[in-house]
C-alpha cells in the first residue's frame, strides 16, 4: 500500500497524468521536459519540482479598493476624492464590479501561481464553501479577498519555512503555519467570511447558534459517516452542541455599524474578527469522548475542539478521502484510505504538501483506472484550455459569464457543501445547458465567437482580447491536406495527450478539414479543427 | 405513474433508461440511441398533460406587504413608514376574509400593483396559501433556498425535489421534461441518478450551436457534432464500453444534442404568441419563451422561472411614499409579466393545463428596520393560480402577528409546511400516487396531508 511507483514504470503518460492532476497540464514542450526530468533524475525529482514552495505571496496583489485600511463601505473607492455617483466615475466600484474583480483575482491565481497551489486553492474554496452573497453585501468583498487570500496562502504552502501569522487576527489564533490542514481549519474559524456565513457572529454563551459547530463536524472535518469511516466512533448531537458552545463570542468588527462595536479593541483592520470574552462560553466540555485535552486541562474553546477533532482518525480519513477524490479518483479502497489517513495524521501531522508527495509518488495514483478518467471541473476546463492555447485571462466580465454558463460561479457555491463532485452521475457540471456551453466555449478562442457570451457588456469587454498564435498551435508546414495525420497528432498531443480518437471521428474531422482547406483556406480549417476537437466529450476528461 | 406525463414513444423512454444505467452493453446502447435519433425526426406530438410553472421570487418576498393585513393594529404599529393602507389604493379582498391562527379572520388586501392577481381572485382562479414555512426556520438566503429546493429542511441537502420526482416518476421522459429559465442550474432539478431530464438556459439564443456558415462549412455544426459524438453514426455509437465516466460525458453530449433540438423544434412550431401585449423585462422574456414552448407543444411538464431582487433590507420604499421603491417595482413587474403569461395561456386554450406557484425562500420580519426596509423573516404567503385552481379561497391560516407568537426574532410562524404544497402539486395535479411520496420526500413534516387547492386536469 502506497509503495512508490517503480522508476521503470515512469512514462510520458504517467508524466502527463501527474502534470494534469497536480496542476493544469502543460504545453507539449513542458510535457516533454517534465517526462525527461523524471526519466533522468528520478520520479521523486519530478514530483518534488511540483511541490516546491517558491511562490511569492505578494505576487498577486489585491485590487486597490481592497487594500485600504479605511472603511470600504459604499460603492465608491475614491483615491482621488471623486465622489460623483455618476456611472462614468472611474472610481465607481459597485458590488458587481467588485465581485468580478475577486473572480479575476481567483483565476489569475489558478493560472499564474504555482500550478499545485492553484489546484489546492480550488479545492479549499470548495471544501470550505461560503455564502459570498452575504459577505459581498455586507463587507463589500473585502471579506472575500481576506478569505481567499488566507486559503491561497495555505495552498501555496509553508514558503521557505516561514511561520507566517494569520494576518487578520494573529492575536487570537494558536501557532501554526500555512500549508497545514489543521491550522487552516482554525484560520477558517476566525475568518470573517466563515463567521458570517455560518452565523458564528450571532452565537453567544447565552444564545447558541449551532450552524458552524454542526458544519465544522459534518462538512469540514469528520464528514457525514461513509463506508470509509464506519469503523470509527460516530459523533453525536451532544458533540455538535459542545462544539457550538466552544465557538461562542466571535464577533465581526463592524465597520458598517461601528457604533455597535464599542467593546471591540481599537485599531482593528476592516472586517476583522475578534473574541468578545464576555460572550464566550468557557465552561469545561465533553467532546467526542474527551473530558480533558491530551496535554491536560479542560476542553474549553474552539481551538481545543479543533485540536481534538484532528487527533481523531476519522477526521484524517475524511480529509484523505476528499483529497484522494479530488486528485485521483472517487472510489479508492477502504484499505487505501486507512493507509492514507495514518500518513496524513501520524507521519505528516496534517502538513498538506508532504502528504501529497506520498500520493503523487504512489503506485496507486497511476492505476489504469485512474489515469485519464476524471471529468474536468469548470476551473480545470478554463484554466487548462487557456494554458494549452497559450491564451491570457479572459476579461473579468467574460470570466464571470463563462463560469455562470458552466454552472460554476466560484463565489456562489450551490450550497455550503460546495459543488457536487465532478466524478460522474448526477453532478451539475454537466447540466445540459452547461454541456451545450462546454461544446460552444472553444469558439471564443478559435473563432473569436463572442456570441457565446450572454450580455453585450461581456462582448464589449472582450474587444481587445488577443488572437491565438496559430503558427505555434499548428505550424504552417503541417497544414497541407496530405499532412492531416501529422497535424491531428500534433493537436491531440497538445489538447488530449494519450487519448486515441475513434476512426469515425478522425474521418469526420478530415472531411471537414479538407472541405474548408480546399474551398477557403488552411488557417480557417485549422481553427475549425481545433474548435471541433475541443468540443468532443473526450476533451472533457483529464 | 401518470401516463399523461410520459407520452413519448417507447424508444425515447428507453434512451433515458439507458442514460441512467451505465452497464448496458455497447451494442444495445447504440441501437437505442439510433432509435432515439430517429424519434427526434418524428413530428412532435405535443402533450395534453398538466404543466407546473414554479415562479421563484428570490431574496425573500415581504408577503406582509403583498397580502396586507391592513386593519391589523400590530401590522400598522410595526411598520409606521412602509405600511400600506386603503389610502394607497390597495386591493381589498372584501368578498372573503382570511382565516387566521388567532381565530379571528384577518381582513386582507393585495398590493395595489397586483391587479392581475386580483382579477384572478375574482375569477376564482387564484388561491392563497398563508403561513407557509418549515420548522426551525433558517434566515440565510443560501440555506433557506437549499431547503426549499431540496424539500429537506435542516439537513445537508444532496438533491432537489423536482429531481427526485423525475427520478421516481419519469423513467424515460424526454430530455426537456423540466426547463429552468436561468443561467445557473437550480438544486431543485438535481437528480441523484444519472442525468436529470431537465435543462437550464437563460435564453434560447444561448441554448443552441453557434454555427458560422461559410464556404466549406456546408454541413451544419450540429450535423458535425452529431457525427463526432456518434449520434447519427451507423456503426459507432460514440459511447465508451470501457470507461464509465467517459461514457457518462458522452451521454451528456447526446442529451445536449437532443434537448437543443427539441427546444428549437418547439419554438419553431410555436410561431408568434397570441397575446401582443407583453412587458419588456427579463422575467417577461423568460415567461414568453415558456409560453412559446407550451404553444409549440414541448414535452415539458415543469417550467421554472425566477425573479430576483426581493431582499429589501433598505429602500423597500423611497422617501415616505409606500407607492415607490423596490418592492413596488418588483411586484409591478411580477404582476404585469405573469398577467401577460396568463392572458397568453387563455388565448392558447392552455390555461386549464397550467398551474403557477409563487414562492420565496422566506418572508420578512413583521417590524420594519431602520432603513425603510425589512429584514429576513420566516413564514410567507404563496399564491397558486391556474384554470383548475380552486380559487377565491384561502389555504393555511394567516399567522398571528402578535409579538409573543413570533419566532426567530420577529418572524412569522408557519402553519403549513411547504412540502405539503409540493406534495399537493405532484399528487393532485401531476397524478403521482401517494405511495411514491416517501421516495420523493424522504423527510416529511408531521402533517403531510395534501391541501385541496387544485382539481386534477
Amino acid at each position: 500500500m502506497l509503495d512508490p511507483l517503480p522508476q521503470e514504470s515512469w512514462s510520458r503518460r504517467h508524466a502527463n497524468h501527474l502534470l494534469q492532476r497536480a496542476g493544469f497540464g502543460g504545453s507539449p514542450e513542458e510535457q516533454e521536459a517534465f517526462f525527461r526530468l523524471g526519466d533522468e533524475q528520478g520520479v521523486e525529482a519530478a514530483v518534488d519540482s511540483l511541490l516546491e514552495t517558491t511562490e511569492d505571496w505578494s505576487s498577486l496583489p489585491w485590487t486597490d479598493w481592497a487594500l485600504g485600511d479605511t472603511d470600504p463601505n459604499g460603492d465608491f473607492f475614491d483615491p482621488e476624492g471623486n465622489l460623483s455617483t455618476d456611472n462614468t466615475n472611474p472610481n465607481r466600484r459597485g458590488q458587481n464590479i467588485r465581485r468580478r474583480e475577486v473572480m479575476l483575482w481567483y483565476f489569475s491565481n489558478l493560472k499564474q501561481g504555482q500550478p499545485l497551489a492553484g489546484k489546492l486553492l480550488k479545492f479549499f474554496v470548495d471544501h470550505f464553501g461560503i455564502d459570498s452573497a452575504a459577505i459581498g453585501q455586507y463587507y463589500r468583498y473585502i471579506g472575500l479577498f481576506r478569505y481567499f487570500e488566507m486559503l491561497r496562502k495555505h495552498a501555496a504552502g509553508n514558503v521557505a519555512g516561514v511561520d507566517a501569522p494569520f494576518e487578520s487576527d494573529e492575536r487570537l489564533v494558536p501557532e501554526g503555519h500555512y500549508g497545514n490542514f489543521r491550522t487552516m481549519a482554525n484560520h477558517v474559524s476566525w475568518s470573517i467570511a466563515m463567521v458570517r456565513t455560518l452565523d458564528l457572529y450571532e452565537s453567544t454563551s447565552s444564545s447558541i447558534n449551532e450552524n458552524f459547530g454542526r458544519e465544522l463536524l459534518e462538512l469540514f472535518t469528520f464528514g457525514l459517516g461513509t463506508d470509509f469511516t464506519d469503523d470509527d466512533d460516530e459523533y453525536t448531537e451532544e458533540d455538535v452542541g459542545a462544539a457550538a458552545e466552544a465557538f461562542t463570542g466571535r464577533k465581526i468588527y463592524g465597520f458598517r455599524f461601528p457604533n455597535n462595536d464599542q467593546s471591540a479593541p481599537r485599531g482593528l483592520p476592516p472586517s476583522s474578527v475578534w473574541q468578545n470574552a464576555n460572550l464566550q462560553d468557557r465552561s469545561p466540555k465533553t467532546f467526542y469522548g474527551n473530558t480533558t485535552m491530551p496535554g491536560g486541562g479542560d476542553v474549553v474553546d474552539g481551538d481545543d475542539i479543533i485540536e481534538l477533532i484532528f487527533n481523531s482518525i476519522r477526521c484524517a480519513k475524511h480529509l484523505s478521502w476528499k483529497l484522494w477524490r479530488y486528485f485521483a479518483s472517487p472510489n479508492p479502497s477502504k484499505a487505501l484510505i486507512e493507509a492514507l489517513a495514518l500518513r496524513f495524521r501520524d507521519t505528516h501531522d496534517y502538513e498538506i504538501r508532504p502528504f501529497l508527495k506520498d500520493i503523487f509518488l504512489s503506485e496507486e495514483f497511476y492505476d489504469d483506472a485512474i489515469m485519464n478518467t476524471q471529468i474536468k471541473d469548470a476551473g480545470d476546463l478554463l484554466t487548462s484550455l487557456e494554458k494549452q492555447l497559450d491564451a491570457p485571462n479572459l476579461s473579468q466580465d467574460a470570466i464571470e459569464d463563462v463560469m455562470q454558463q458552466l454552472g460554476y460561479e466560484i463565489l456562489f457555491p450551490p450550497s455550503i457543501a460546495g459543488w457536487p463532485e465532478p466524478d460522474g452521475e448526477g453532478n451539475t457540471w454537466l447540466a445540459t445547458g452547461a454541456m451545450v456551453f462546454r461544446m460552444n466555449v472553444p469558439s471564443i478562442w478559435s473563432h473569436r465567437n463572442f456570441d457565446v457570451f450572454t450580455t453585450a457588456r461581456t462582448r464589449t469587454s472582450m474587444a481587445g482580447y488577443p488572437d491565438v498564435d496559430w503558427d505555434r498551435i499548428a505550424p504552417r508546414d503541417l497544414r497541407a491536406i496530405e499532412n492531416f495525420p501529422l497535424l491531428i497528432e500534433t493537436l491531440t498531443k497538445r489538447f488530449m495527450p494519450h487519448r486515441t480518437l475513434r476512426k469515425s471521428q478522425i474521418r469526420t474531422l478530415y472531411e471537414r478539414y479538407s472541405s474548408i482547406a480546399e474551398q477557403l483556406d488552411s488557417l480557417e480549417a485549422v481553427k475549425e479543427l481545433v474548435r471541433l476537437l475541443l468540443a468532443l466529450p473526450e476533451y472533457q476528461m483529464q | 405513474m401518470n401516463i399523461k406525463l410520459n407520452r413519448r414513444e417507447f424508444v425515447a423512454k428507453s434512451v433515458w433508461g439507458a442514460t441512467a444505467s451505465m452497464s448496458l452493453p455497447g451494442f444495445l446502447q447504440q441501437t437505442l440511441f439510433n432509435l432515439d435519433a430517429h424519434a427526434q425526426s418524428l413530428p412532435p406530438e405535443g402533450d395534453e398533460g398538466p404543466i407546473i410553472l414554479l415562479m421563484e421570487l428570490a431574496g425573500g418576498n415581504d408577503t406582509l406587504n403583498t397580502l396586507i393585513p391592513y386593519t391589523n393594529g400590530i401590522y400598522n404599529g410595526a411598520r409606521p413608514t412602509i405600511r400600506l393602507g386603503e389610502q394607497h389604493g390597495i386591493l381589498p379582498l372584501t368578498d372573503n376574509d382570511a382565516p387566521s391562527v388567532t381565530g379571528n379572520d384577518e381582513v386582507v388586501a393585495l398590493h395595489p400593483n397586483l391587479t392581475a392577481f386580483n382579477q384572478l381572485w375574482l375569477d376564482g382562479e387564484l388561491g392563497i396559501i398563508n403561513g407557509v414555512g418549515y420548522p426551525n426556520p433558517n434566515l440565510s438566503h443560501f440555506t433557506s433556498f437549499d431547503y426549499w429546493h431540496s424539500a429537506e429542511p435542516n439537513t445537508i441537502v444532496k438533491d432537489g425535489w423536482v429531481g427526485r420526482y423525475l427520478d421516481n416518476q419519469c423513467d424515460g421522459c424526454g430530455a426537456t421534461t423540466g426547463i429552468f429559465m436561468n443561467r445557473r442550474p437550480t438544486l431543485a432539478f438535481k437528480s441523484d441518478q444519472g442525468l436529470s431530464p431537465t435543462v437550464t438556459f437563460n435564453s434560447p439564443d444561448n441554448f443552441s450551436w453557434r454555427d458560422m456558415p461559410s464556404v466549406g462549412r456546408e454541413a451544419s455544426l450540429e450535423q458535425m457534432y452529431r457525427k463526432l459524438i456518434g449520434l447519427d453514426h451507423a456503426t459507432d455509437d460514440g459511447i465508451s464500453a470501457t470507461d464509465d465516466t467517459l461514457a457518462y460525458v458522452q451521454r451528456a453530449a447526446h442529451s445536449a444534442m437532443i434537448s437543443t433540438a427539441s427546444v428549437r423544434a418547439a419554438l419553431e412550431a410555436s410561431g408568434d404568441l397570441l397575446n401582443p401585449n407583453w412587458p419588456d423585462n427579463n422575467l417577461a422574456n423568460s415567461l414568453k419563451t415558456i409560453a412559446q414552448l407550451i404553444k409549440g407543444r414541448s414535452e415539458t411538464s415543469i417550467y421554472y422561472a425566477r425573479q430576483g431582487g426581493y431582499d429589501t433590507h433598505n429602500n423597500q420604499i423611497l422617501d415616505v411614499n409606500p407607492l415607490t421603491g423596490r418592492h413596488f417595482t418588483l411586484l409591478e413587474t411580477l404582476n404585469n409579466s405573469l398577467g401577460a403569461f396568463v392572458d397568453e395561456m387563455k388565448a392558447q386554450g392552455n390555461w386549464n393545463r397550467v398551474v403557477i406557484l409563487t414562492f420565496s425562500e422566506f418572508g420578512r420580519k413583521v417590524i420594519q428596520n431602520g432603513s425603510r426596509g425589512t429584514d429576513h423573516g420566516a413564514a410567507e404567503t404563496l399564491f397558486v393560480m391556474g384554470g383548475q385552481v380552486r380559487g377565491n379561497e384561502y389555504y393555511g391560516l394567516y399567522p398571528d402577528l402578535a409579538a409573543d407568537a413570533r419566532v426567530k426574532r420577529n418572524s412569522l410562524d408557519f402553519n403549513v409546511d411547504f412540502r405539503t404544497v409540493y406534495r399537493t402539486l405532484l399528487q393532485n395535479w401531476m397524478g403521482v400516487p401517494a405511495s411514491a411520496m416517501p421516495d420523493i420526500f424522504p423527510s416529511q413534516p408531521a402533517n403531510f396531508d395534501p391541501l385541496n387547492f387544485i382539481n386534477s386536469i
Side-chain angles (χ1 to χ4, degrees):
Chain A
M1 202 59 61
L2 293 175
D3 290 331
L5 180 78
Q7 181 64 37
E8 61 272 22
S9 302
W10 183 250
S11 70
R12 287 182 172 80
R13 183 165 177 237
H14 288 72
N16 280 334
H17 170 61
L18 183 52
L19 266 187
Q20 189 72 47
R21 297 291 182 91
F24 301 94
S27 66
E29 299 75 30
E30 288 166 333
Q31 293 173 26
E32 188 60 22
F34 188 63
F35 164 71
R36 292 206 176 282
L37 176 64
D39 196 46
E40 289 159 14
Q41 297 183 37
V43 178
E44 188 168 355
V47 169
D48 282 343
S49 75
L50 298 175
L51 293 167
E52 279 170 16
T53 51
T54 56
E55 189 194 358
D56 175 2
W57 287 346
S58 62
S59 62
L60 285 161
W62 298 355
T63 56
D64 288 349
W65 55 259
L67 285 168
D69 53 5
T70 52
D71 182 345
N73 193 10
D75 281 349
F76 296 89
F77 167 70
D78 50 75
E80 297 138 28
N82 182 352
L83 286 169
S84 159
T85 56
D86 195 307
N87 272 343
T88 59
N89 179 352
N91 295 321
R92 185 163 188 273
R93 286 291 182 276
Q95 281 195 48
N96 291 341
I97 295 175
R98 289 174 190 241
R99 188 178 69 236
R100 287 177 209 124
E101 284 179 335
V102 177
M103 219 179 283
L104 176 63
W105 181 86
Y106 169 83
F107 274 98
S108 300
N109 271 294
L110 295 199
K111 269 180 67 180
Q112 291 160 22
Q114 189 216 27
L116 179 62
K119 205 82 171 187
L120 276 170
L121 173 63
K122 183 157 67 68
F123 175 81
F124 296 152
V125 165
D126 183 20
H127 184 78
F128 293 110
I130 48 163
D131 175 359
S132 46
I135 318 300
Q137 180 175 356
Y138 295 107
Y139 306 104
R140 301 294 171 182
Y141 291 97
I142 285 198
L144 281 184
F145 262 119
R146 283 193 182 285
Y147 188 68
F148 283 5
E149 176 79 344
M150 181 270 291
L151 295 180
R152 187 179 76 90
K153 287 178 178 175
H154 280 286
N158 186 16
V159 176
V162 178
D163 283 358
F166 177 41
E167 284 178 0
S168 181
D169 306 285
E170 57 269 30
R171 305 163 307 284
L172 303 164
V173 183
E175 282 186 36
H177 53 71
Y178 290 114
N180 182 290
F181 215 113
R182 180 180 46 224
T183 306
M184 178 166 53
N186 215 319
H187 287 175
V188 165
S189 78
W190 285 105
S191 65
I192 182 175
M194 192 55 77
V195 166
R196 181 65 176 73
T197 295
L198 291 179
D199 303 330
L200 269 186
Y201 70 110
E202 291 191 325
S203 191
T204 64
S205 50
S206 58
S207 170
I208 306 274
N209 183 311
E210 284 188 351
N211 207 357
F212 177 80
R214 183 176 303 280
E215 308 300 19
L216 173 69
L217 308 192
E218 219 170 276
L219 294 173
F220 304 151
T221 58
F222 282 147
L224 283 169
T226 63
D227 292 346
F228 299 115
T229 55
D230 60 6
D231 299 333
D232 308 310
D233 288 339
E234 191 56 77
Y235 64 86
T236 62
E237 277 301 305
E238 286 70 33
D239 293 327
V240 171
E245 288 166 15
F247 284 93
T248 43
R250 297 190 179 189
K251 305 303 269 185
I252 295 167
Y253 174 62
F255 51 75
R256 206 167 178 224
F257 304 109
N259 293 339
N260 296 349
D261 265 342
Q262 293 301 337
S263 52
R266 298 291 113 188
L268 291 177
S271 74
S272 291
V273 174
W274 61 285
Q275 178 74 58
N276 186 330
N278 296 330
L279 302 178
Q280 188 180 18
D281 179 336
R282 293 197 63 84
S283 62
K285 300 166 182 71
T286 300
F287 179 76
Y288 202 54
N290 302 279
T291 51
T292 54
M293 296 301 292
D298 292 330
V299 181
V300 177
D301 60 18
D303 300 337
D304 295 341
I305 297 291
I306 285 179
E307 186 180 335
L308 289 174
I309 290 174
F310 278 80
N311 285 347
S312 76
I313 194 66
R314 173 166 175 154
C315 169
K317 283 182 185 172
H318 179 65
L319 298 180
S320 297
W321 174 66
K322 279 206 74 171
L323 284 163
W324 181 267
R325 179 173 63 175
Y326 182 72
F327 285 101
S329 80
N331 45 7
S333 71
K334 194 170 172 176
L336 178 61
I337 291 304
E338 220 161 273
L340 285 168
L342 290 173
R343 294 275 182 109
F344 201 16
R345 184 188 65 170
D346 298 346
T347 311
H348 300 304
D349 192 28
Y350 292 103
E351 292 294 314
I352 296 165
R353 282 171 182 250
F355 175 62
L356 289 180
K357 179 171 178 175
D358 283 4
I359 289 183
F360 296 153
L361 282 175
S362 73
E363 265 186 317
E364 284 85 355
F365 182 67
Y366 300 91
D367 195 291
D368 261 344
I370 290 178
M371 289 199 277
N372 252 325
T373 60
Q374 189 180 53
I375 302 174
K376 289 172 190 160
D377 67 31
D380 291 331
L381 181 73
L382 179 64
T383 307
S384 51
L385 201 154
E386 286 180 353
K387 281 201 163 190
Q388 289 165 345
L389 288 167
D390 203 16
N393 278 323
L394 301 174
S395 72
Q396 62 194 34
D397 299 73
I399 290 175
E400 182 175 63
D401 197 318
V402 164
M403 286 299 127
Q404 283 181 347
Q405 296 196 63
L406 286 171
Y408 179 85
E409 281 179 279
I410 184 61
L411 302 181
F412 298 97
S415 80
I416 191 67
W419 287 269
E421 294 308 313
D423 54 18
E425 297 194 45
N427 73 70
T428 58
W429 301 115
L430 294 180
T432 315
M435 190 66 208
V436 170
F437 187 69
R438 280 185 183 229
M439 294 169 76
N440 279 327
V441 78
S443 65
I444 294 173
W445 292 271
S446 67
H447 291 88
R448 299 182 66 81
N449 175 18
F450 299 158
D451 280 351
V452 301
F453 297 121
T454 55
T455 66
R457 168 175 52 74
T458 308
R459 287 187 277 274
T460 308
S461 77
M462 285 290 288
Y465 192 74
D467 212 353
V468 168
D469 180 357
W470 292 108
D471 286 347
R472 179 171 174 167
I473 306 292
R476 287 172 193 241
D477 56 353
L478 296 181
R479 293 182 194 169
I481 291 176
E482 58 272 22
N483 281 343
F484 184 79
L486 205 52
L487 175 62
I488 198 86
E489 192 189 316
T490 305
L491 292 175
T492 47
K493 188 167 167 50
R494 176 177 294 272
F495 296 116
M496 289 180 264
H498 307 289
R499 172 73 63 188
T500 311
L501 296 181
R502 298 189 310 281
K503 279 184 187 162
S504 68
Q505 290 175 317
I506 302 270
R507 199 178 315 114
T508 304
L509 293 170
Y510 174 73
E511 285 164 9
R512 186 69 153 191
Y513 184 81
S514 52
S515 165
I516 296 177
E518 280 167 6
Q519 299 182 61
L520 210 54
D521 70 67
S522 61
L523 178 58
E524 283 303 312
V526 164
K527 292 179 180 179
E528 182 82 354
L529 189 55
V530 168
R531 173 190 189 162
L532 293 174
L533 275 174
L534 301 186
L536 291 179
E538 289 77 2
Y539 182 71
Q540 310 303 323
M541 309 297 289
Q542 64 182 10
Chain B
M1 180 160 194
N2 176 10
I3 54 163
K4 285 175 181 166
L5 188 66
N6 299 315
R7 292 174 53 90
R8 295 183 42 135
E9 297 296 319
F10 170 71
V11 285
K13 293 183 178 180
S14 307
V15 170
W16 284 102
T19 302
S21 140
M22 288 193 172
S23 54
L24 278 182
F27 76 92
L28 186 51
Q29 293 167 353
Q30 177 218 316
T31 311
L32 290 170
F33 275 98
N34 285 341
L35 281 169
D36 182 73
H38 174 65
Q40 294 306 309
S41 65
L42 298 174
E45 63 181 304
D47 200 323
E48 302 302 317
I51 289 171
I52 296 174
L53 169 58
L54 298 168
M55 182 63 239
E56 180 171 296
L57 312 179
N61 180 29
D62 182 18
T63 52
L64 271 172
N65 265 21
T66 308
L67 183 70
I68 305 147
Y70 61 102
T71 63
N72 188 310
I74 300 171
Y75 169 81
N76 286 305
R79 298 183 163 208
T81 324
I82 67 164
R83 68 196 165 97
L84 289 167
E86 282 174 299
Q87 69 275 30
H88 300 115
I90 56 171
L91 305 167
L93 303 184
T94 43
D95 50 345
N96 199 346
D97 293 337
S100 161
V101 171
T102 62
N104 301 316
D105 286 357
E106 196 73 50
V107 179
V108 293
L110 289 166
H111 187 279
N113 280 345
L114 296 181
T115 50
F117 284 51
N118 190 47
Q119 190 56 52
L120 289 169
W121 174 263
L122 296 172
D123 294 344
E125 293 176 336
L126 173 80
I128 294 175
I129 314 174
N130 284 319
V132 185
Y134 57 89
N136 304 315
N138 191 297
L139 269 49
S140 146
H141 296 289
F142 209 55
T143 309
S144 198
F145 253 145
D146 276 0
Y147 294 168
W148 276 83
H149 292 154
S150 66
E152 295 199 73
N154 303 302
T155 67
I156 296 289
V157 302
K158 304 182 303 294
D159 43 31
W161 72 279
V162 178
R164 289 193 305 270
Y165 155 61
L166 296 177
D167 285 345
N168 187 277
Q169 290 290 304
C170 197
D171 178 23
C173 288
T176 54
T177 300
I179 291 183
F180 182 25
M181 300 301 303
N182 201 42
R183 292 192 198 180
R184 236 182 285 170
T186 171
L187 177 70
F189 277 6
K190 188 173 184 305
S191 158
D192 69 347
Q193 298 173 20
L195 289 162
S196 174
T198 58
V199 294
T200 299
F201 57 90
N202 72 326
S203 141
D205 294 339
N206 300 326
F207 196 59
S208 65
W209 310 107
R210 304 298 213 288
D211 211 345
M212 290 171 292
S214 78
V215 181
R217 293 197 186 93
E218 282 74 20
S220 73
L221 196 56
E222 183 178 2
Q223 286 171 310
M224 295 303 299
Y225 284 156
R226 290 182 77 99
K227 272 189 177 176
L228 285 170
I229 66 175
L231 207 52
D232 289 336
H233 202 279
T235 55
D236 178 359
D237 71 350
I239 305 289
S240 171
T242 54
D243 181 343
D244 286 350
T245 313
L246 176 58
Y248 168 77
V249 180
Q250 289 163 331
R251 290 203 179 89
H254 284 199
S255 159
M257 299 305 305
I258 292 169
S259 53
T260 47
S262 62
V263 164
R264 190 183 57 223
L267 290 177
E268 279 169 7
S270 157
D272 291 339
L273 291 175
L274 304 176
N275 174 14
N277 301 312
W278 285 81
D280 182 16
N281 60 60
N282 288 340
L283 175 60
N285 290 339
S286 294
L287 295 175
K288 263 168 117 164
T289 302
I290 291 172
Q292 281 182 306
L293 289 166
I294 292 172
K295 182 160 178 270
R297 312 181 84 193
S298 173
E299 66 201 351
T300 312
S301 54
I302 302 216
Y303 292 97
Y304 199 127
R306 181 175 188 275
Q307 183 194 20
Y310 282 91
D311 195 17
T312 48
H313 286 286
N314 50 50
N315 295 336
Q316 182 164 337
I317 66 163
L318 290 177
D319 303 327
V320 290
N321 180 2
L323 296 183
T324 57
R326 288 163 58 193
H327 197 242
F328 182 86
T329 312
L330 285 164
L331 291 186
E332 182 179 39
T333 301
L334 178 70
N335 181 76
N336 297 353
S337 306
L338 275 182
F341 179 81
V342 170
D343 289 346
E344 174 69 28
M345 287 302 105
K346 288 179 173 170
Q348 287 181 18
N350 279 323
W351 183 230
N352 278 336
R353 288 176 62 203
V354 175
V355 57
I356 305 168
L357 178 74
T358 71
F359 68 98
S360 204
E361 68 269 44
F362 39 60
R364 304 192 81 81
K365 290 199 198 324
V366 178
I367 296 176
Q368 75 177 70
N369 64 22
S371 325
R372 291 192 303 272
T374 45
D375 293 328
H376 302 181
E380 60 179 299
T381 294
L382 307 193
F383 297 95
V384 57
M385 45 194 103
Q388 293 296 322
V389 166
R390 294 176 202 256
N392 203 287
E393 191 57 75
Y394 298 97
Y395 304 90
L397 302 171
Y398 210 89
D400 186 353
L401 271 58
D404 59 4
R406 299 176 201 162
V407 298
K408 284 259 180 170
R409 300 193 312 282
N410 291 319
S411 301
L412 296 174
D413 203 0
F414 81 108
N415 58 78
V416 174
D417 191 296
F418 70 96
R419 287 167 287 185
T420 63
V421 178
Y422 291 168
R423 179 190 180 159
T424 307
L425 287 178
L426 294 184
Q427 191 169 320
N428 295 8
W429 182 239
M430 303 305 279
V432 178
S435 59
M437 293 304 152
D439 288 328
I440 300 173
F441 298 102
S443 73
Q444 302 190 351
N447 180 0
F448 197 39
D449 297 333
L451 305 172
N452 196 27
F453 60 72
I454 193 154
N455 301 308
S456 61
I457 199 168

